[in-house]
Amino acid sequence: MLIDTNEMRRGNRTAATTVVSFLKNKGGVGCTTNAYNFACWMAREGYSVLLLDGDMQGDCTALCRVAFEKPEERQGMYNLLVNGAAFDDVWCGVPGEFYGNPRGTLFLVPSDEASGKDIAQHLSANTVRDRLAEVEGRFDLVIVDTSPSASELHAGLYLASNYVVYPTQCQSEPINAIKRSLANYANYKTYAEAHNDPVAEILGIMPVMFRGRDMLQNQLKGWLEGRYAEWVMPEIRDLTAWQKAAASRLPVFIYDPSSDAAKDAVRVYQGFEAVIYGK
């Protein structure tokens, strides 16, 4: 672990902690990329951020460049949610120079395939909410990346989160997945309201990997805006800088700050920040 979390003194924080979950019903739609980049952006801006890698592929963990001496150290999410481990025993610090703020606070609860495959089978919807309540006031923001398949982890996040984000490509299969996601959201909202529980608000639907010259993508983006106008964010274009930044394991706004890709990302992330914090 690269930073000794016991040396971090966040216990005296009193501000509310906001939980934002990036959800998907299909892989390859930029969910992990944007959860990671948004977490890095907010940490760069001076917020204290906890990133939870809830996808068993562990891509967020890889992007954060965290080195582990033992395989079991990667099983942070499993040990947290299934074995009841304390947060202080499973999270690790991400060095600030990777996201452009040496004094920043970004912590990661890691995951990998070995630790992630059985998590949902051991959870109730309340488990996630109860665990996240333990970090209330210790971070400004908790950001969660998720697996492509709807599960009890997703159900728990609808109840535990303040906001959810749905990244999607403007192609037929991802748009069908968005329809399923929004149907799931409606079901969870109905359940929560029936039990007098809070439920997450939709922070945004993110059209990603967008190709403006593709007629079908433009048509499907138009459909999204017609159906879900209040939630659809400005598109993030399919630009080379995204792939190069990911290969370098850097946020796109650090890899090439002047690129159009970085400008697209920052515009959307600042929009999220404005909604969350009223800026």
Side-chain angles (χ1 to χ4, degrees), residues 42 55 85 90-91 101 108 111 122 163-166 193 207 214 222 271 275:
M42 296 300 280
D55 188 343
V90 296
W91 61 30
N101 184 354
L108 168 76
S111 184
H122 297 279
Y163 298 99
V164 292
V165 177
Y166 298 104
E193 290 174 346
D214 187 312
V275 173

Side-chain angles (χ1 to χ4, degrees), residues 1 3-6 10 50 68 70-81 83-93 107-110 131 134-135 138-139:
M1 303 219 176
I3 295 178
D4 183 357
T5 58
N6 292 323
R10 297 184 305 277
L50 175 63
F68 299 94
K70 302 175 183 178
E72 59 267 23
E73 291 178 343
R74 294 181 61 93
Q75 299 180 10
M77 283 292 286
Y78 187 90
N79 287 328
L80 178 74
L81 295 177
N83 295 334
F87 273 95
D88 289 293
D89 292 333
V90 296
W91 61 30
C92 47
F107 279 70
L108 168 76
V109 176
R131 293 312 311 266
E134 297 174 25
V135 296
R138 298 186 71 182
F139 292 89

Side-chain angles (χ1 to χ4, degrees), residues 34-260:
N34 281 283
Y36 163 75
N37 273 268
F38 181 52
C40 290
W41 172 257
M42 296 300 280
R44 179 185 182 275
E45 292 297 287
Y47 295 92
S48 57
V49 182
L50 175 63
L51 177 60
L52 305 184
D53 189 350
D55 188 343
M56 67 181 184
Q57 295 180 84
D59 288 339
C60 258
T61 301
L63 285 169
C64 287
R65 301 200 205 185
V66 177
F68 299 94
E69 296 180 3
K70 302 175 183 178
E72 59 267 23
E73 291 178 343
R74 294 181 61 93
Q75 299 180 10
M77 283 292 286
Y78 187 90
N79 287 328
L80 178 74
L81 295 177
V82 178
N83 295 334
F87 273 95
D88 289 293
D89 292 333
V90 296
W91 61 30
C92 47
V94 180
E97 55 266 28
F98 292 161
Y99 52 86
N101 184 354
R103 296 182 179 274
T105 301
L106 174 57
F107 279 70
L108 168 76
V109 176
S111 184
D112 64 3
E113 186 172 1
S115 65
K117 61 184 178 181
D118 295 325
I119 287 179
Q121 300 177 24
H122 297 279
L123 295 183
S124 70
N126 290 328
T127 302
V128 183
R129 179 174 58 184
D130 293 344
R131 293 312 311 266
L132 288 181
E134 297 174 25
V135 296
E136 175 66 32
R138 298 186 71 182
F139 292 89
D140 297 311
L141 195 62
V142 176
I143 297 173
V144 189
D145 181 36
T146 60
S147 63
S149 301
S151 66
E152 284 301 312
L153 177 59
H154 287 68
L157 288 170
Y158 277 116
L159 300 179
S161 302
N162 300 94
Y163 298 99
V164 292
V165 177
Y166 298 104
T168 185
Q169 290 178 268
C170 291
Q171 296 178 356
S172 298
E173 190 175 348
I175 291 296
N176 287 331
I178 278 290
K179 294 177 184 178
R180 294 194 299 271
S181 293
L182 271 295
N184 288 338
Y185 174 79
N187 291 335
Y188 291 129
K189 185 174 182 179
T190 299
Y191 170 86
E193 290 174 346
H195 292 79
N196 294 316
D197 286 329
V199 67
E201 297 179 30
I202 296 176
L203 183 57
I205 296 173
M206 297 179 63
V208 301
M209 293 176 268
F210 185 75
R211 297 177 181 175
R213 296 182 179 180
D214 187 312
M215 183 178 297
L216 178 60
Q217 290 204 21
N218 277 286
Q219 290 174 345
L220 289 173
K221 181 173 181 287
W223 180 88
L224 272 180
E225 292 172 332
R227 181 73 178 271
Y228 307 114
E230 69 271 32
W231 297 323
V232 177
M233 304 299 295
E235 66 269 13
I236 290 181
R237 289 168 289 176
D238 187 14
L239 300 170
T240 304
W242 283 105
Q243 289 77 39
K244 292 183 176 180
S248 300
R249 292 189 293 174
L250 287 171
V252 69
F253 55 84
I254 294 297
Y255 176 79
D256 189 351
S258 64
S259 67
D260 287 339

Side-chain angles (χ1 to χ4, degrees), residues 259-271:
S259 67
D260 287 339
K263 293 173 184 176
D264 285 355
V266 170
R267 176 175 56 169
V268 172
Y269 303 156
Q270 286 178 333

